[in-house]
């Protein structure tokens, strides 16, 4: 198990590249917060965990299956992982952070684009609110930013 990556996995890198390409700036694996979130977006007060379905026991997922050998060890280990995740997410929420979890199976080729776009909306609040009204990405405070003039060198 020493060869299992704890950070910079392929799915984490994929999520970070997408968020960076959409203009979001973030910190990665910030040790100041419980659980060392994979992506911390201070401006949006949101943290993102990119979880592997096996290691975090994603319920009702084809990628999570309990190993057939040494079942006692694996069930105890994976249940500890799940409980630790719940505790850390609760701590972050108590600190005022929005916790967003992206599962490995959601990043399969067939659903990747839709999930990443939804993630961007969850972070920026660009989606619809519960009452169906579109959410203002600038929030309630602050005037609208003026548009930048066109750069003549381009």
């Amino acid at each position: 198990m020493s060869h299992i990556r704890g950070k910079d996995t392929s799915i984490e890198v994929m999520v970070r590249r997408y968020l960076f390409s959409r203009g979001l700036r973030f910190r990665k694996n910030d040790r100041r917060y419980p659980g060392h979130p994979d992506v911390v977006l201070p401006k949006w007060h949101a943290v993102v965990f990119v979880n592997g379905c096996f290691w975090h026991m994603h319920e009702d997922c084809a990628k999570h299956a309990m190993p057939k050998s040494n079942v006692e060890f694996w069930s105890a280990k994976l249940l500890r992982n799940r409980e630790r995740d719940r505790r850390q997410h609760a701590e972050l929420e108590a600190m005022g952070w929005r916790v967003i979890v992206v599962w490995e199976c959601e990043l399969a080729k067939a659903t990747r684009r839709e999930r990443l776009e939804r993630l961007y909306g969850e972070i920026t609040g660009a989606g619809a609110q519960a009452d169906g009204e579109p959410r203002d990405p600038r929030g309630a405070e602050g005037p609208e930013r003026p548009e930048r003039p066109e750069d003549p060198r381009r």
Side-chain angles (χ1 to χ4, degrees), residues 6 9 11-12 15-16 19 27 29-30 33-41 46-52 56 81 84-93 97-104 106-107 115 119 122-123:
T9 63
I11 56 177
E12 285 179 32
V15 168
R16 290 197 313 250
L19 295 176
R27 292 190 296 255
N29 305 107
D30 197 330
Y33 304 106
H36 315 299
D38 299 315
V39 177
V40 178
L41 299 121
V47 295
V48 179
F49 288 92
V50 183
N51 287 348
H56 297 271
N81 287 354
R84 182 195 65 222
D85 289 346
R86 284 187 184 134
R87 189 178 62 250
Q88 290 168 345
H89 293 186
E91 287 178 47
L92 286 164
E93 288 169 354
W97 290 91
R98 282 183 299 125
V99 178
I100 303 167
V101 177
V102 177
W103 291 98
E104 174 186 14
E106 296 175 321
L107 297 172
R115 177 57 180 123
L119 172 63
E122 288 177 88
I123 292 168

Side-chain angles (χ1 to χ4, degrees), residues 3-80:
H3 294 284
I4 304 297
R5 283 180 175 257
K7 57 185 175 181
D8 295 332
T9 63
S10 60
I11 56 177
E12 285 179 32
V13 171
M14 178 190 315
V15 168
R16 290 197 313 250
R17 276 189 183 146
Y18 176 79
L19 295 176
F20 193 86
S21 73
R22 293 293 305 264
L24 297 179
R25 299 303 179 251
F26 50 82
R27 292 190 296 255
K28 61 180 200 154
N29 305 107
D30 197 330
R31 299 184 66 86
R32 292 179 289 179
Y33 304 106
H36 315 299
D38 299 315
V39 177
V40 178
L41 299 121
K43 176 181 177 181
W44 303 98
H45 222 63
V47 295
V48 179
F49 288 92
V50 183
N51 287 348
C53 295
F54 173 76
W55 294 106
H56 297 271
M57 288 185 74
H58 189 198
E59 294 179 24
D60 303 324
C61 177
K63 290 186 178 247
H64 169 69
M66 191 61 67
K68 303 246 186 287
S69 62
N70 209 358
V71 176
E72 207 171 296
F73 166 80
W74 282 109
S75 60
K77 176 171 184 48
L78 297 176
L79 285 171
R80 278 194 316 267

